[in-house]
Amino acid sequence: MINFKSILQKIHLIWLGRILFFVLSTFLVIWVAMPRGHAYPFPFDLLDRLHDQLIKQRLISISEQRIVLVDIDEASLAQYGRWPWSRQQMAQLLKQLNQHYQVAHIGLDMIFPENGDLLGDQQIAQLAAARQLTLAQTFGFDRSQSMQVGQLSAAMPWADIPATPAFGFLANYSGLAAQAPCVGHIAITADPDGVVRRQSMLVQYGGKLYPAFAPVLLRCWLGQQGPLQAGGGKIEWLEGLSGQQIVARDGMAAISFLRKAEAYIAISASEIMTGKAPVAVLRNRLVIVGSSALGLGDYVATVLGGRTPGMLLHAQWLSKALDQLEQNQPVLVIGFSNIMTVWVALLLGVIFLHGRSNALRLSWGFAVLMAWLLWLGYTGQEVGANALAPLLGGVVLLILEGGLEWWYAQQGRRQLYLAFHQYVPPAIIDQLIGHNSQSIMLPHRVEITCLFADLQGYTGIAERLPPEELAHYTRHALMLLTQAVLDQQGTLDKYMGDALFAFWGAPAAQSDHASRALNAAIAMQQAVDQHNQGAAPDKQIKIHIGIQTGFVVVGDMGTPFRSTYTAIGDAVNVCARLQNLASLHNEKILVGEDTERQLSYSPLQLYGTVSLKGRRGVQQVYRLP
């Protein structure tokens, strides 16, 4: 039998489970939403890939006119010889950009660890010393990259600013490095999946700080030489201006991909050398010189594609910074508080809608997350992978809640089966399990039709037969009655010695419960008649049946020691009185007037108007002819 104390304990367990899931998913969202400078570990690295798709959606194709990429490509090598070019050739390219095309500033995305021809070295050094050229150097972030080649330059004094520790470096030769005030590092670190999404903005090496290439180029062009200002996870690269950048505690920052690769102007170095490139395109522009030639190309995998030139990463950073400078607006980033606000809104909606349908709760969660994703797709603020934390939390909560609901439903089905498999036929059990409602076990008022059936002369038979034969006789007789109840999908309440009590209309509603009860009574009499045709006179069966319809209380009326699903009410008492009256007057079936009124077709005859024991007044009683 079902134990409702156990059910209550399980319900408490369900709520404890839900609270635990809410807390766990909230802690997960908090952990994911915290700013970080590195990739998420497996399996959360899926957030980085989803973020890639979000960034791709936000990329614009508007042409970037402020930055020009000068590419030492295959055509340049074919015209001016294989790499490495002489230092004088490189100087000629840089002088052409500076003097003929009058560019605003040049960034050279390559390193000269060894000196070359004297004249070329001097010309490059002069451009660097005049702050017209930003040079590059790089660092190794792994202990296996402990090389020390060339001479580091343009270090910033140590300050309490987030920075990435390095173990080695590759820099320009000493003669060039000593005369170059503008040098930035071009070190790039890929995530475990090989995609570059972040870059180190400041490197810590030898007790000094070395800034990244693009910020140095911008500061050098604008003549900014003061120390960096940092605080609250932000670096202010330009004094007195609002152009700031969010950095993690390890000095890493997400690369701000704004434009598609084709939005940038790229000109072959050979066109610069020959003067064929249009002057108007280059004059007063920031220029980054790099190479895409086979064997020289500095390619990395990014959200822009599997072969993104390294100089394009610097250009993306400059585009973002120039936008901020022109608009004179601070960096706007989706912050931790924004992310948690969305998560709290989702969570509160799920909690307050708990009493409603699961579909409504799912709709709320879906609406909140879709609105958040749409806003992320079109907002002008900087969006990091951590902004997808509510999406991850929602999916995890859905999985946990779904598992809990499934377990709870299975428990409910099991409890319903245990409660009713001895009372009702399998078809009714299937119907109850389909509804999966524990409320049907709670006492409630409902209209049913009751049936009492009693074996006549059972006491005399019990005295004559030995125990084994009596047990067989009783079992067989009650089985004839029970089968009729089950065939009409009735609820078998109990056996009382030689009597049976059943009812229709609960736990599953049956609009024709009166007809079903009468049909079951007729089937009982037919089964008994068929049995008597082949039975010995002393083992023949005779039954008397009473039927009544009315409102009663049904539900679990048991105790903590034994639960039982039964019906209590006046209709049950009247039904018993009618069965007793049928036995006294040797009637097969007596039916109360409330039942007769509900029959769509009545084969009954009026038996008479009687006064039943224990009841005031009289009522009409009907009999089966």
Side-chain angles (χ1 to χ4, degrees):
M1 289 294 183
I2 188 170
N3 188 337
F4 274 90
K5 183 177 181 180
S6 174
I7 287 183
L8 292 176
Q9 290 175 347
K10 287 184 174 65
I11 292 175
H12 293 159
L13 184 62
I14 291 293
W15 275 106
L16 287 176
R18 286 199 175 100
I19 293 172
L20 178 62
F21 294 159
F22 291 157
V23 172
L24 287 178
S25 57
T26 300
F27 275 117
L28 177 63
V29 171
I30 292 174
W31 177 76
V32 173
M34 296 294 290
R36 66 188 63 232
H38 53 83
Y40 289 100
F42 178 84
F44 303 108
D45 55 347
L46 178 62
L47 291 175
D48 286 315
R49 296 184 178 88
L50 291 175
H51 182 244
D52 292 347
Q53 300 305 314
L54 184 62
I55 292 300
K56 286 182 179 180
Q57 176 197 342
R58 291 162 52 95
L59 291 175
I60 60 177
S61 55
I62 300 175
S63 178
E64 173 58 273
Q65 301 291 329
R66 300 165 298 184
I67 303 168
V68 178
L69 306 179
V70 175
D71 186 11
I72 302 177
D73 55 6
E74 296 290 346
S76 302
L77 297 184
Q79 185 170 353
Y80 291 95
R82 298 176 59 186
W83 192 263
W85 282 357
S86 68
R87 204 59 53 84
Q88 194 165 353
Q89 284 178 295
M90 286 300 305
Q92 181 183 351
L93 173 63
L94 298 176
K95 285 177 60 180
Q96 184 80 341
L97 287 168
N98 185 56
Q99 296 177 5
H100 177 69
Y101 288 101
Q102 298 180 3
V103 300
H105 192 83
I106 304 171
L108 187 58
D109 186 18
M110 54 185 61
I111 303 170
F112 301 130
E114 298 177 351
N115 59 333
D117 56 85
L118 181 60
L119 181 59
D121 284 345
Q122 287 178 346
Q123 291 175 342
I124 295 174
Q126 288 173 2
L127 287 173
R131 303 179 66 87
Q132 296 172 335
L133 175 64
T134 294
L135 297 178
Q137 56 194 9
T138 190
F139 290 89
F141 298 134
D142 190 270
R143 292 187 182 275
S144 62
Q145 300 172 326
S146 58
M147 70 288 182
Q148 296 181 1
V149 181
Q151 178 179 314
L152 292 174
S153 57
M156 290 185 171
W158 175 258
D160 187 17
I161 301 176
T164 310
F167 300 94
F169 63 87
L170 174 65
N172 297 292
Y173 70 94
S174 58
L176 180 58
Q179 302 183 57
C182 302
V183 183
H185 82 79
I186 56 175
I188 293 177
T189 302
D191 287 342
D193 60 357
V195 178
V196 175
R197 301 183 179 91
R198 283 158 277 268
Q199 61 182 341
S200 172
M201 302 313 301
L202 280 173
V203 170
Q204 170 194 340
Y205 185 83
K208 295 181 179 180
L209 299 178
Y210 297 90
F213 181 79
V216 171
L217 187 153
L218 184 62
R219 285 168 58 88
C220 195
W221 171 52
L222 296 176
Q224 298 283 334
Q225 302 180 31
L228 295 180
Q229 301 296 323
K234 294 182 179 180
I235 296 178
E236 186 173 323
W237 292 104
L238 302 173
E239 298 175 12
L241 297 177
S242 59
Q244 297 177 331
Q245 186 174 22
I246 305 296
V247 293
R249 284 175 291 183
D250 58 0
M252 302 291 288
I255 300 174
S256 299
F257 293 98
L258 297 179
R259 287 172 167 79
K260 298 178 180 179
E262 54 267 26
Y264 289 89
I265 300 172
I267 300 176
S268 172
S270 62
E271 296 185 14
I272 302 295
M273 300 280 276
T274 58
K276 293 181 179 180
V279 175
V281 174
L282 288 143
R283 180 173 292 167
N284 296 323
R285 303 295 193 270
L286 295 177
V287 173
I288 302 175
V289 179
S291 176
S292 66
L294 185 63
L296 300 179
D298 178 22
Y299 290 112
V300 292
T302 69
V303 299
L304 300 178
R307 286 176 55 84
T308 303
M311 57 182 172
L312 194 56
L313 302 184
H314 312 311
Q316 292 280 353
W317 192 97
L318 288 171
S319 293
K320 178 75 172 181
L322 291 172
D323 287 345
Q324 294 166 359
L325 289 175
E326 291 177 359
Q327 300 167 9
N328 195 26
Q329 293 180 352
V331 177
L332 297 176
V333 181
I334 307 299
F336 178 80
S337 59
N338 305 105
I339 298 171
M340 294 310 300
T341 299
V342 174
W343 173 248
V344 170
L346 185 148
L347 201 60
L348 289 178
V350 171
I351 293 174
F352 287 132
L353 293 175
H354 176 72
R356 308 294 181 88
S357 66
N358 287 334
L360 186 60
R361 297 166 66 200
L362 287 174
S363 299
W364 168 258
F366 181 80
V368 171
L369 292 178
M370 287 303 99
W372 177 241
L373 287 177
L374 288 174
W375 187 79
L376 292 179
Y378 294 99
T379 180
Q381 299 187 35
E382 189 171 320
V383 179
N386 62 337
L388 299 175
L391 179 63
L392 176 65
V395 171
V396 170
L397 185 60
L398 173 64
I399 294 174
L400 294 177
E401 275 272 280
L404 187 66
E405 292 288 348
W406 178 86
W407 177 83
Y408 184 50
Q410 293 301 111
Q411 291 295 315
R413 289 184 174 92
R414 180 174 179 273
Q415 296 293 350
L416 288 174
Y417 176 79
L418 292 176
F420 289 108
H421 77 284
Q422 293 181 340
Y423 294 105
V424 298
I428 297 295
I429 293 181
D430 292 340
Q431 182 180 349
L432 296 175
I433 290 177
H435 287 83
N436 192 29
S437 174
Q438 295 289 349
S439 61
I440 60 175
M441 296 298 296
L442 301 176
H444 60 284
R445 189 173 296 278
V446 66
E447 186 182 52
I448 65 172
T449 298
C450 310
L451 180 151
F452 264 105
D454 183 62
L455 299 177
Q456 180 179 349
Y458 182 79
T459 302
I461 296 174
E463 293 176 350
R464 295 195 308 270
L465 296 179
E468 294 80 4
E469 290 188 33
L470 177 62
H472 176 74
Y473 172 82
T474 305
R475 189 179 299 113
H476 176 69
L478 291 177
M479 192 60 216
L480 295 177
L481 308 184
T482 302
Q483 190 61 52
V485 173
L486 298 181
D487 289 344
Q488 291 297 320
Q489 296 187 341
T491 299
L492 178 63
D493 188 307
K494 61 177 71 71
Y495 296 125
M496 297 167 290
D498 59 342
L500 172 149
F501 175 53
F503 53 85
W504 285 258
Q510 295 167 317
S511 59
D512 57 346
H513 51 81
S515 296
R516 289 176 182 270
L518 181 59
N519 291 338
I522 295 173
M524 289 179 184
Q525 290 290 354
Q526 292 175 347
V528 167
D529 293 341
Q530 185 176 0
H531 164 81
N532 291 339
Q533 290 177 6
D538 62 338
K539 292 186 179 180
Q540 291 189 352
I541 301 172
K542 190 173 183 179
I543 59 172
H544 303 286
I545 300 174
I547 300 176
Q548 173 66 351
T549 299
F551 282 91
V552 300
V553 175
V554 297
D556 182 71
M557 307 293 180
T559 68
F561 302 99
R562 185 178 185 275
S563 60
T564 179
Y565 185 86
T566 190
I568 298 176
D570 182 64
V572 178
N573 297 331
V574 171
C575 183
R577 300 288 187 272
L578 291 175
Q579 182 275 322
N580 187 55
L581 182 65
S583 179
L584 291 175
H585 297 278
N586 199 28
E587 291 289 340
K588 294 181 178 180
I589 302 174
L590 290 183
V591 179
E593 61 183 16
D594 294 324
T595 302
E596 196 275 339
R597 280 197 297 267
Q598 293 202 18
L599 295 175
S600 57
Y601 167 75
S602 176
L604 303 176
Q605 294 178 348
L606 180 65
Y607 173 74
T609 301
V610 300
S611 174
L612 297 176
K613 181 181 179 180
R615 299 191 82 242
R616 295 180 180 178
V618 296
Q619 69 168 319
Q620 291 181 332
V621 177
Y622 296 82
R623 63 184 290 273
L624 189 70

